[in-house]
Amino acid sequence: MTRIPISRAEEEARLRHERLDLSIAEMGLSVRTTNCLEETGILTVRDLLHATPRKLLGISNFGEKTLEEVYAALEALGFYRPGQKPASV
């Protein structure tokens, strides 16, 4: 059986797509942060990426420090804020 090589870009796109469906509970966030997000219906990375900082900061017990925790977890998965560059570039 011959394997068809997948380009690096295709593989990265596939992995990125998989990460979008990752549950919030699997992101490595604190229990408190995970609970805050889940209580507002944010259950996946995709949901989180669709939430604006203003919406997140409007969640009870969700402040700037929690927002930074979320950004750090997203960056660990390869999702960066606009204007932020990956460290490896």
Side-chain angles (χ1 to χ4, degrees), residues 18-53:
E18 281 180 12
R19 286 186 224 124
L20 287 172
D21 295 325
L22 190 70
S23 83
I24 291 300
E26 297 174 283
M27 287 182 63
L29 297 168
S30 69
V31 172
R32 187 183 65 76
T33 300
T34 300
N35 289 342
C36 284
L37 294 169
E38 288 179 345
E39 286 171 10
T40 60
I42 297 172
L43 305 174
T44 65
V45 171
R46 183 185 314 273
D47 296 337
L48 188 53
L49 291 172
H50 283 33
T52 63

